């Protein structure tokens, strides 16, 4: 039994706007009924707050005050909470914060850049509201300054070594926010270098729609997504790679992607599949789009970019490997909402306006023309627009598509930001690459059969929503022969199946040739993991023959795979189906044609030859785009 009173929950400091409704909480434990009384510090003495005798103190903030809570019982035992400071920013009101604000840091003022002469003093300062009150940490050129932990950072006499890019991180128990980077430069400084940029974190959403239920299948998107994912991981991106998504799944994926974006983050969105352009807007076609698809069956890329900008990211890159041709000239054009004038956006089109994007087939491999050249330059340490210009020039020199496909770049990038920029340390916890990879990792497992056979299970995450499982014999008793293993699913996995013969095509065989698949005795493919509702149970059957007796033996072992990360990510379906974009069925994303050369084949995915008259199979309706992406 408790004899002394113990404060179980201390009130927390806060920094809030004026007129903000705030609740201070104090919880205590004791052996008898407890009584609470709140006090505030007024001038030089402690003043009891009349009527404040509950564990929760509800106030409407007017000025900065110190508060404390006393807890006592009937035996004259008592305890005091910590003093807490409620800082009130009188220059802003409660209307500054959005409805539903839960106390995560929000910057009110940002530091300003400075251009000085040597030995001059300088002071950077910023301010953020938050519950609890945020703590601050300053960084120079991405490196933590251990002793700079206040709202203000002062340098008494600026030296060349102090020059560079500064930013501040405000954190509390609810999250973290990063200020905009500001530059400190010196006049006539011989050591002055070019601007150094860095990211708070990097995250990419890559979608490739290959296997359509009611439209011609494509060949290249699955390979392009696989290759781009590998390159972006080398650039320290946290990658969400998904193939063959339905309309609702694409909306969920975009929403989850947007939730990872934040101030100072680099965001990259890539899509390959059927699509089209209309009045400056680009639309993506999900795999479950009906025949013919209607306006509500497609998704606007510009809407995604608009939401990306609202997250105040440091860099937004959108890469579209899809057609930009509109076949129904009689349809009324939709209004284009202008994007905000933020200088942080790069738009890379695989082809120019009113043209197709092509894929090239070389033997058993297929790849988009755009990706063929993008992967040659994506690791270059140069401004992202300059890197894309190199891709554009290479595509323009390719005789296979001369006069058919020309890349186009649009951007508002005012800073020399590159995909190779370093990530500021420490990273945002949600975008920490080590934690991200660990979340997606499935460690190898050893299964031991009673007959003495040992089998190693290894896992290859081909995409975020597709895993290959390999079984390899690592130990076999000498008296056994004709040993065979079979992997199959024993749990109810029906929800993960969308019948389509393309799903077991030769592209999967190419992707299965990773290091994990070398020497494997059998393989199991788990697609559409975003649909998974529970843990996955697989079985490994072993068949062999005892050489001494000639008896055939058969054993089975079951193995549980925890619910995949991507399935947990998709569990909360916070999306709206009010998306827009209409098209006739003849709007194709990639075209295929026969080249005059023998080494490569360019292909038309929809079965329409060049020069053929395209006919609209439906009259697309105009559809008003609502707020379809519920990013948090």
């Amino acid at each position: 039994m408790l004899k002394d009173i113990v404060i179980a929950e201390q009130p927390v400091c806060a920094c809030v706007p004026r007129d903000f409704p705030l609740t201070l909480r104090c919880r205590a434990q004791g052996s008898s009924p407890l009584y609470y009384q709140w006090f505030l510090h007024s001038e030089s003495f402690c003043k009891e707050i009349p009527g404040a005798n509950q564990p929760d103190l509800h106030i409407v903030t007017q000025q900065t005050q110190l508060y404390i809570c006393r807890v006592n019982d009937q035996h004259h035992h008592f305890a005091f909470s910590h003093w807490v400071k409620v800082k009130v920013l009188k220059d802003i009101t409660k209307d500054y914060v959005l409805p539903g604000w839960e106390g995560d840091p929000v910057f009110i003022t940002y530091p300003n850049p400075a251009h000085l002469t040597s030995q001059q003093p300088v002071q950077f300062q910023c301010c953020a509201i938050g519950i609890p009150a945020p703590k601050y940490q300053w960084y120079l050129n991405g490196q933590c300054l251990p002793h700079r932990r206040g709202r203000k950072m002062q340098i008494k006499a600026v030296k060349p070594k102090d020059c560079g890019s500064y930013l501040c991180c405000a954190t509390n128990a609810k999250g973290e926010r990063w200020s905009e980077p500001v530059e400190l430069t010196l006049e006539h400084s011989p050591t002055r270098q070019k601007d150094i940029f860095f990211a708070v974190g990097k995250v990419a959403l890559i979608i490739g729609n290959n296997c359509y239920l009611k439209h011609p299948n494509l060949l290249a998107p699955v390979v392009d997504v696989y290759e781009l994912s590998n390159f972006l991981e080398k650039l320290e991106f946290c990658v969400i790679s998904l193939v063959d998504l339905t309309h609702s799944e694409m909306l969920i994926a975009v929403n989850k992607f947007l939730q990872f974006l934040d101030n100072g983050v680099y965001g990259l969105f890539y899509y390959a599949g059927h699509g089209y352009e209309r009045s400056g807007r680009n639309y993506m076609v999900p795999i479950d789009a009906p025949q013919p698809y209607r306006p509500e069956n497609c998704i606007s890329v510009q809407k995604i970019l608009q939401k990306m900008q609202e997250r105040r990211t440091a860099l937004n890159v959108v890469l579209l490997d899809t057609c930009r041709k509109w076949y129904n000239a009689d349809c009324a054009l939709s209004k284009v909402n202008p994007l905000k004038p933020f200088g942080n956006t790069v738009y890379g089109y695989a082809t120019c306006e009113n043209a197709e994007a092509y894929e090239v087939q070389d033997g058993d491999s297929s790849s988009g023309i755009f990706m063929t050249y993008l992967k040659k330059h994506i690791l270059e340490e140069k401004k992202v627009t300059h890197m894309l210009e190199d891709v554009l020039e290479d595509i323009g020199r390719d005789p296979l598509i001369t006069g058919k496909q020309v890349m186009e770049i649009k951007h508002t990038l005012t800073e020399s930001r590159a995909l190779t920029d370093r990530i500021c340390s420490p990273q945002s916890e949600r975008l920490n690459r080590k934690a991200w990879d660990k979340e997606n990792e499935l460690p190898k497992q050893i299964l031991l059969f009673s007959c003495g056979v040992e089998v190693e299970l290894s896992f290859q995450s081909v995409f975020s929503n597709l895993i290959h499982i390999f079984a390899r014999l690592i130990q076999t008793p000498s008296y056994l022969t004709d040993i065979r293993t079979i992997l199959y699913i024993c749990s109810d996995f029906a929800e993960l199946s969308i019948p389509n013969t393309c799903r077991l095509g030769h592209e999967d065989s190419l992707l299965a040739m990773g290091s994990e698949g070398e020497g494997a005795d059998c393989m199991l493919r788990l697609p559409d993991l975003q649909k998974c509702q529970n843990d996955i149970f697989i079985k490994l059957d072993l068949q062999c023959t005892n050489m001494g007796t000639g008896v055939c033996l058969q054993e089975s072992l079951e193995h549980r795979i925890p619910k995949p990360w991507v399935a947990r990510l998709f569990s909360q379906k916070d999306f709206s189906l009010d998306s827009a974009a209409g098209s006739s069925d003849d709007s194709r994303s990639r075209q295929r044609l026969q080249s005059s050369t023998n080494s490569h084949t360019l292909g038309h995915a929809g079965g329409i030859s060049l020069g053929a008259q395209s006919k609209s199979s439906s009259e697309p309706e105009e559809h008003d785009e609502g707020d379809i992406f519920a990013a948090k």
Side-chain angles (χ1 to χ4, degrees):
M1 178 178 295
L2 290 173
K3 293 184 179 181
D4 296 327
I5 298 173
V6 177
I7 304 295
E9 180 181 349
Q10 296 281 357
V12 297
C13 296
C15 183
V16 293
R18 176 170 49 85
D19 299 326
F20 184 80
L22 178 67
T23 299
L24 298 178
R25 294 169 51 87
C26 180
R27 295 292 186 272
Q29 297 174 350
S31 58
S32 59
L34 301 177
Y35 306 93
Y36 294 80
Q37 179 60 54
W38 288 86
F39 299 82
L40 63 82
H41 190 274
S42 178
E43 298 179 353
S44 60
F45 62 92
C46 191
K47 178 182 177 181
E48 183 179 296
I49 304 175
N53 52 13
Q54 298 296 323
D56 291 347
L57 174 63
H58 303 286
I59 59 175
V60 177
T61 57
Q62 295 297 326
Q63 60 182 349
T64 300
Q65 296 277 13
L66 295 174
Y67 295 87
I68 195 172
C69 184
R70 184 193 66 199
V71 185
N72 63 276
D73 61 17
Q74 59 189 357
H75 303 294
H76 305 291
H77 298 136
F78 64 90
F80 284 93
S81 71
H82 297 156
W83 281 100
V84 292
K85 182 178 182 179
V86 177
K87 183 177 178 61
V88 179
L89 304 180
K90 294 184 178 182
D91 294 336
I92 63 170
T93 65
K94 63 178 181 180
D95 298 330
Y96 187 90
V97 298
L98 297 175
W101 178 58
E102 297 182 352
D104 52 305
V106 177
F107 273 101
I108 304 301
T109 58
Y110 291 91
N112 294 317
H115 183 58
L116 310 170
T117 59
S118 183
Q119 301 301 314
Q120 276 190 298
V122 68
Q123 178 175 274
F124 293 118
Q125 60 180 339
C126 59
C127 183
I129 59 174
I131 309 171
K135 297 181 179 180
Y136 299 91
Q137 176 64 64
W138 289 88
Y139 294 80
L140 170 60
N141 295 332
Q143 301 302 311
C144 177
L145 301 174
H147 303 296
R148 304 291 189 172
R149 296 180 178 175
R151 186 170 64 86
K152 299 178 181 180
M153 195 205 72
Q154 185 176 17
I155 303 175
K156 294 181 179 180
V158 175
K159 301 176 182 178
K161 68 176 183 179
D162 299 317
C163 295
S165 183
Y166 286 82
L167 88 168
C168 182
C169 179
T171 60
N172 66 9
K174 302 294 180 60
E176 67 179 22
R177 287 293 185 275
W178 294 80
S179 71
E180 298 288 347
V182 294
E183 299 299 318
L184 173 60
T185 56
L186 288 179
E187 293 182 358
H188 312 298
S189 173
T191 60
R192 185 177 177 183
Q193 300 177 349
K194 67 175 183 179
D195 293 338
I196 299 175
F197 296 98
F198 52 89
V200 171
K202 299 180 184 180
V203 61
L205 173 61
I206 309 175
I207 298 176
N209 283 342
N210 242 52
C211 306
Y212 284 81
L213 302 181
K214 298 182 180 179
H215 302 279
N217 290 324
L218 301 174
L219 297 176
V222 65
V223 177
D224 291 348
V225 168
Y226 181 75
E227 292 185 324
L228 181 58
S229 298
N230 290 334
F231 280 109
L232 290 178
E233 286 175 353
K234 293 179 181 178
L235 294 172
E236 295 301 312
F237 273 82
C238 295
V239 178
I240 306 172
S241 59
L242 302 165
V243 293
D244 295 335
L245 297 186
T246 63
H247 181 271
S248 61
E249 290 169 350
M250 289 183 72
L251 288 178
I252 296 174
V254 169
N255 272 309
K256 299 302 180 182
F257 167 64
L258 292 172
Q259 291 173 25
F260 285 110
L261 300 181
D262 207 342
N263 197 4
V265 171
Y266 287 13
L268 185 146
F269 176 79
Y270 170 86
Y271 171 76
H274 284 310
Y276 66 96
E277 180 174 313
R278 171 183 169 197
S279 184
R281 286 188 180 182
N282 300 90
Y283 298 101
M284 303 177 293
V285 181
I287 65 167
D288 62 343
Q291 170 68 280
Y293 40 83
R294 296 176 57 81
E296 61 269 21
N297 307 131
C298 301
I299 297 172
S300 167
V301 179
Q302 275 72 19
K303 193 68 175 182
I304 298 174
L305 182 54
Q306 185 180 58
K307 292 296 181 180
M308 290 173 70
Q309 284 191 337
E310 291 175 2
R311 306 298 290 180
R312 298 186 66 85
T313 46
L315 175 65
N316 292 316
V317 179
V318 175
L319 302 176
L320 286 186
D321 203 349
T322 181
C323 275
R324 299 176 64 190
K325 198 158 189 175
W326 173 241
Y327 290 90
N328 193 345
D330 297 330
C331 183
L333 298 177
S334 60
K335 178 182 177 182
V336 178
N337 296 323
L339 295 172
K340 295 181 180 180
F342 295 151
N344 63 347
T345 299
V346 179
Y347 219 138
Y349 300 91
T351 190
C352 59
E353 187 175 355
N354 198 36
E356 290 91 357
Y358 295 89
E359 54 186 25
V360 61
Q361 187 169 353
D362 182 8
D364 290 332
S365 177
S366 184
S367 181
I369 288 289
F370 175 61
M371 187 57 61
T372 299
Y373 292 105
L374 177 64
K375 63 187 181 183
K376 291 175 57 179
H377 298 284
I378 195 169
L379 298 181
E380 295 175 356
E381 295 186 7
K382 58 175 60 178
K383 186 176 179 180
V384 62
T385 52
H386 295 168
M387 180 272 292
L388 290 175
E389 287 170 358
D390 291 342
V391 178
L392 182 153
E393 293 174 2
D394 279 359
I395 292 177
R397 288 191 287 263
D398 190 332
L400 198 60
I401 54 168
T402 300
K404 302 180 181 69
Q405 177 177 344
V406 178
M407 184 187 168
E408 184 177 347
I409 305 168
K410 296 180 181 179
H411 76 92
T412 59
L413 193 60
T414 58
E415 300 170 326
S416 296
R417 294 188 180 271
L419 297 181
T420 55
D421 288 344
R422 291 182 303 164
I423 293 179
C424 177
S425 178
Q427 301 175 14
S428 167
E429 189 60 33
R430 294 196 309 165
L431 297 181
N432 185 298
R433 264 297 303 274
K434 291 183 179 179
W436 185 281
D437 293 341
K438 186 176 181 181
E439 188 74 26
N440 289 274
E441 181 183 4
L442 288 173
K444 294 180 179 180
Q445 301 289 332
I446 302 297
L447 301 185
L448 176 60
F449 290 88
S450 61
C451 63
V453 173
E454 289 187 18
V455 178
E456 178 188 75
L457 292 183
S458 58
F459 305 87
Q460 179 191 12
S461 293
V462 184
F463 305 109
S464 298
N465 65 337
L466 190 153
I467 293 176
H468 288 164
I469 307 175
F470 302 97
R472 183 171 63 90
L473 294 169
I474 58 175
Q475 182 169 319
T476 57
S478 58
Y479 64 89
L480 296 179
T481 187
D482 298 331
I483 302 174
R484 290 180 298 169
T485 55
I486 302 174
L487 274 171
Y488 61 95
I489 302 169
C490 61
S491 59
D492 184 7
F493 212 54
E495 72 273 14
L496 302 189
S497 299
I498 296 181
N500 197 308
T501 56
C502 173
R503 293 189 177 277
L504 296 177
H506 65 272
E507 303 296 357
D508 277 341
S509 299
L510 294 174
L511 297 177
M513 293 173 61
S515 59
E516 297 295 343
E518 293 180 1
D521 295 283
C522 63
M523 169 190 151
L524 178 64
R525 181 180 184 273
L526 298 182
D528 299 323
L529 295 178
Q530 73 277 5
K531 303 177 187 293
C532 184
Q533 301 298 318
N534 304 294
D535 294 347
I536 302 171
F537 290 88
I538 62 172
K539 269 192 175 181
L540 178 64
D541 282 358
L542 173 71
Q543 299 176 358
C544 57
T545 302
N546 187 317
M547 290 189 296
T549 63
V551 176
C552 293
L553 305 176
Q554 182 170 334
E555 293 187 44
S556 294
L557 289 177
E558 186 176 278
H559 179 70
R560 180 183 68 86
I561 300 175
K563 185 176 179 179
W565 172 84
V566 69
R568 301 196 303 272
L569 189 69
F570 271 61
S571 293
Q572 184 181 358
K573 298 184 179 181
D574 51 349
F575 67 98
S576 164
L577 297 185
D578 186 25
S579 61
S583 162
S584 65
D585 184 52
D586 288 319
S587 301
R588 305 300 186 199
S589 81
R590 299 188 177 207
Q591 305 295 324
R592 301 182 66 198
L593 66 144
Q594 185 68 37
S595 168
S596 59
T597 63
N598 295 324
S599 58
H600 298 285
T601 301
L602 279 170
H604 177 294
I608 303 175
S609 60
L610 278 185
Q613 182 69 30
S614 302
K615 298 182 180 180
S616 174
S617 60
S618 68
E619 182 74 13
E621 300 176 7
E622 186 51 55
H623 186 74
D624 181 34
E625 288 186 2
D627 198 9
I628 62 174
F629 300 112
K632 295 181 179 178

